[in-house]
Structure formats: structure tokens, C-alpha cells
Amino acid sequence: MITGANPREQYLARKAEIDSAISRVLDAGRYILGYEVKAFEQEFASYLGVLHAIGAGSGTEALHLALAACDIKPGDEVITVSHTAVATVAAIELTGATPVFVDIEPRTYTLDPAKLEAAITSRTRVVIPVHLYGHPADMNAITEVARKRNLRVIEDCAQAHGAIDGRRVGIHGDAGCFSFYPTKNLGAIGDGGMVVTKDGVIASKVRLLREYGWKERYKSEIPGWNSRLDEIQAAILRVKLRYLDADNSARTLIAQEYSRTLADTGLVLPVVREGVTPVWHQYVVRSDHRDALQAYLQENGVATLIHYPFPIHLQPAYQGRLAVSSLPETEQAAREVLSLPVYPELKQAEVQRVINLIRSFASAQAP
Ligand SMILES: *Cc1c(COP(=O)(O)O)cnc(C)c1O
């Protein structure tokens, strides 16, 4: 069985819990940085096994806050990947620092540690590995280089709530940043984000920065701004956090079904690095006939997405403005990747239909 409970029943049971979480906030009458945010911060920290968790307005803001708490400023360089959500790069630029791109490791679509050293200059301060599609970047290799070169590591965990590389992602580096955008593995019904860290100095700085630099009300210790997780989202996320592992397991079963049945179709299937547990935010295949496959699935009522069709360094907002070395793996991935449907509510019959369609597309392509 791919889905456990009847999806409709499961939806109604969760909705009832969410309704009561929302009413609890209305009854308490406190909407900003109250009981629910504090409780969710504690619950999320203990889920990950980390000391501090600080709610933020979004995943982009979580990254911005973590970078600012590490004193990143104009003139600094921050290394990340170009095969990511634009938010990763937008957050770097919000600090005034310069993003520098390293190519990806083509099997896992994450920052290639072998190419990291070459990108480090005297201005480099931080590396941001992105645990893309729910698959952990190679944290041992990346943190080793970072330690040797005295760089901070801030993990972009927006697609990887609960993923494990020895420990859960988010707690390997100096800070981990999460998004609770509705489609993420742990999603709110609006925007939200979180910075987690074992470093007490970073934690207190993020707490100040997210609310005008206030330690006490109306008295700014440092220049900050406003980036807060709100009470309603926090109350909802507390409910959803209890289902996160079950939802990730449901995604894993679907991923295993795809991997079991699509191996002989000529598609390049996702590879799981030994020893890690991904959380399948996306199940991404590669094909030389990607656009035709996507069109064929679309004609047959199966919507798929491409994450991402344009590497950041080739998008109008960035092209020509950032110095970029060659990123062949990134550019090739953008031409070939296709994300198949994978989400906890997906029914077994729907998965089977996707599989059948891909198999028939593949046999039509075969010489
Ligand atoms: C979603 C996402 C973000 C940004 O999160 P928002 O909450 O939308 O600001 C950052 N990085 C990655 C890799 C993401 O997928």
C-alpha cells in the first residue's frame, strides 16, 4: 500500500486538528511571537536534535537572517550552487554579499565538494550547500573543506525537513535554514521559515535581527528588521510536524516504487548516496527527451514540473552581473531534469498510471 489511511479521512482528521489550532490562537488573542511560536521552535529544535530554533518570515528570510548573524556584508563572497531555487541566491544578495557558484555533483544534484576549494578566495566567508530535492549534500566533505579554510557553513534545508546524513540536516553546519512554504515537506498555509543552530551567539543575534534588533521592546541593540513567523502558522506547523515522518515515509514508498519499475526505461533515475536518508521533496529523472516526455504525460493528464529550467546564473536578473566559471553539470541538468509526482496524498493507482505512461513512452522511443 502506498497511502495508509483513506486520503479523504486523513484530510478531515488533520483539518480538524488544524481548525482547533487556529481557534486556540484566536482565543489567546496574541498573534505575533507568542506561545505557539515558542512551542513550535522548541518542538522543531528537539525534532532535529539541536539547541536553538528561531522562527522567521520565510525560508529566504531564514537564510538572510543566518547570513546577517554571521556578519556577512558587502564585499564578502558566499559560495553556493546555481542549480537551486532563486531564493538561495536572493538571500545572499540581501546581505550585499556576492554569490559565487560551484557546479553540482551530477548524480545527486548537490554541491560538488571536489570543486569547492577552487572557488574559495580571500573574500569567501560562507558556503551554503543546498539539500536539493530532499537529498543531503555531502556534508562530511563540505564541512571538512570549510573547517580547513575557516569558512562558515549554512545549510539550505528548505527541501529537506527530516533528511538524514548521519544526523538530520540543518545541524551539520553553523546554521540550518528551513522554509515552510506550503509545498515543502513541512508546509504552512502561508509563508514561514526557521533558523536552527547549536551556536548560542548566532541564535541570539537572529532573535534580535528578526525584530528590529530589540532585546527589550522599543530599544534596538543592533539594526534589525521584521521577519517573524506568525502564531497561526506556528500553531498549524505544530500539528503538521507530528505527521512529518509519516509523510516522508509515504514519499519514500512512492520513490521506491518509481525506482523499482522505471530502471529499464532509459531514464536516469535518482541516486541515493550511501548512508543518507533522503526525504524525496522531488523525485527527479533525467531524459534526453525530457520535453517530449513532459508533453506526453501532460496530454495524458499527468502534470509534472521542472526544477529548475533555468540555472540562476543564466536568468535575466543575474546573467552578466555575476562572474561565473563554467558550470557544465548545472546547465546539463537544467536541460534534462523532470520531477515526477511525489507527495504523501498521491494514491497507488495514480503512481501506477504515471509508471505505465512512462513505460509506454519509453517503448515508443526505443529503436
Ligand atoms: C523554497 C526554497 C527556499 C525559500 O523559501 P521561501 O520560504 O519560499 O522563501 C530556499 N531555498 C530552496 C532550495 C527552496 O526550495
Side-chain angles (χ1 to χ4, degrees), residues 58-60 63 84-85 87-88 130 132 156 158-159 179 181 184 191-192 308:
S58 68
T60 310
L63 287 162
T84 182
T88 315
V130 180
L132 201 73
D156 183 338
Q159 302 191 0
S179 164
Y181 182 80
K184 309 292 187 187
D191 279 310
Y308 294 91

Side-chain angles (χ1 to χ4, degrees), residues 55-57 60-70 195 206 209-210 225 227:
T60 310
E61 273 299 325
L63 287 162
H64 180 198
L65 285 163
L67 287 162
C70 294
V195 179
V206 169
L209 289 172
R210 76 168 169 184
W225 61 97
S227 177

Side-chain angles (χ1 to χ4, degrees), residues 214-235:
W214 284 353
K215 192 174 275 169
E216 74 189 77
R217 213 172 170 78
Y218 308 130
K219 188 175 166 207
S220 295
E221 302 292 325
I222 53 172
W225 61 97
N226 170 5
S227 177
R228 298 172 297 215
L229 180 63
D230 74 71
E231 284 285 287
I232 291 211
Q233 300 306 335

